[in-house]
Amino acid sequence: MNDAFGIDHPLIAVHDINALRDRLIGIGFNMTSIGKHPWGTSTSLAMFQGCLLEIMGIYDETLIDEVPAGDFHFGRHVYEHLQKREGVALTALHSTNSVTDAVVAEAAGFRISGHLEFGRDVTLPNDRLGRTKTTLALLPDKARPRLSFFLCQQHRPEFIYVPSWLDHPNSVCGYAGASVLAHDEDMGAMETKFSGIYGAPRPCDGGVVFDTANGKMRLLTRAAIEARNGPLPTDVLTEDEPGFVALDLAFSDGKKLEACLRNSGVKYSRHESEFRLSEPQLFGNTFLNFVPC
């Protein structure tokens, strides 16, 4: 079960959300239909128990400054990142109480911009109607904007983590980790900040790793990321900002996963029990790696 500050959902922003949604369905994800936020962003989700994979686009540029949280505008943040490149623009950390968790985050050095509340109507598989209720606490980082976070508290999890929605043909069941491209000059400040919520990190090849309540969060050099995944996309290198560039997704059945990957036609490689997609530019400039549960 995900707990406070566990990886909840890095938010992959793209120009063509329909194309990426179709691509993710093609590799075996059960994606929701495309929904809309009141601040101009469109969204589609693959849901897991206690976390999710979210892709996002912009459906109405005139709304991107709506519903601010203090000085933070969710829609504008996503929009401005898309003007530079596709990729993870913002990352949700799991919250069990967005108010008390925000206090902990602030003490660790995160800046709290404000809170947002929203909901959406859902129809469950048994035709029961419901409405979700979600509270966000926004933690923007002006110095490293792609490492902005928000705490995400689901007040009605029974309308989010519905068993049939969690069943994916590729057998993916959640996160095993996420990796940040970190420059040498940023590493010390980032280690200090994350240590305030996760405790001291452990060294790993090319960086450090933090244990979260839902997977490992790694701060890695370019060399370390490319040693595992291959060359970073040109757009990522051109922007030259620290940010999440790789997600590790946990799977339970290698035969089901490989069948989905093979049938989709995407390029991938196998490294012992892991599967790694080879064209991150097709997935919002994000490496997707699949590791066994």
Side-chain angles (χ1 to χ4, degrees), residues 91 93 105 108-110 141 143-149 178-202 206-210 217-222 225 240-245:
T91 300
L93 302 178
F110 291 82
D141 188 328
R144 303 172 187 87
R146 281 198 184 271
L147 288 180
S148 294
F149 292 87
S179 297
V180 173
L181 171 64
H183 303 317
D184 290 341
E185 60 270 24
D186 294 311
M187 191 72 79
M190 291 161 58
E191 280 189 48
T192 299
K193 192 173 182 180
F194 289 135
S195 293
I197 55 176
Y198 298 124
R202 293 177 285 107
V208 296
V209 57
F210 293 90
M217 190 177 293
R218 297 178 177 87
L219 308 181
L220 300 175
T221 63
R222 172 184 173 182
I225 289 170
D240 196 33
E241 287 187 14
F244 286 93
V245 295

Side-chain angles (χ1 to χ4, degrees), residues 44-90:
S44 179
L45 315 170
M47 298 180 189
F48 315 117
Q49 185 61 54
C51 58
L52 51 93
L53 174 66
E54 181 169 17
I55 61 175
M56 188 168 285
I58 300 291
Y59 74 88
D60 190 341
E61 295 179 12
T62 69
L63 298 177
I64 60 175
D65 287 320
E66 296 294 321
V67 200
D71 61 356
F72 184 82
H73 297 78
F74 197 112
R76 179 165 291 281
H77 180 90
V78 174
Y79 174 82
E80 289 181 347
H81 278 283
L82 270 177
Q83 304 317 295
K84 298 178 181 179
R85 69 169 178 87
E86 296 184 327
V88 175
L90 193 61

Side-chain angles (χ1 to χ4, degrees), residues 130-211:
R131 185 169 179 81
T132 66
K133 180 182 178 183
T134 305
T135 302
L136 311 181
L138 282 304
L139 316 175
D141 188 328
K142 291 185 177 180
R144 303 172 187 87
R146 281 198 184 271
L147 288 180
S148 294
F149 292 87
F150 61 97
L151 303 175
C152 182
Q153 180 183 4
Q154 301 289 357
H155 298 274
R156 303 300 303 274
E158 68 273 20
F159 295 144
I160 301 288
Y161 309 126
V162 178
S164 63
W165 296 348
L166 311 182
D167 185 18
H168 300 276
N170 58 17
S171 82
V172 172
C173 52
Y175 287 100
S179 297
V180 173
L181 171 64
H183 303 317
D184 290 341
E185 60 270 24
D186 294 311
M187 191 72 79
M190 291 161 58
E191 280 189 48
T192 299
K193 192 173 182 180
F194 289 135
S195 293
I197 55 176
Y198 298 124
R202 293 177 285 107
C204 64
D205 290 341
V208 296
V209 57
F210 293 90
D211 293 314

Side-chain angles (χ1 to χ4, degrees), residues 99-120:
V99 175
T100 58
D101 290 341
V103 172
V104 174
E106 191 168 34
F110 291 82
R111 183 175 74 89
I112 310 300
S113 173
H115 296 256
L116 287 176
E117 271 198 12
F118 67 97
R120 62 185 177 88

Side-chain angles (χ1 to χ4, degrees), residues 115-127:
H115 296 256
L116 287 176
E117 271 198 12
F118 67 97
R120 62 185 177 88
D121 295 324
V122 296
T123 302
L124 300 181
N126 60 4
D127 292 328

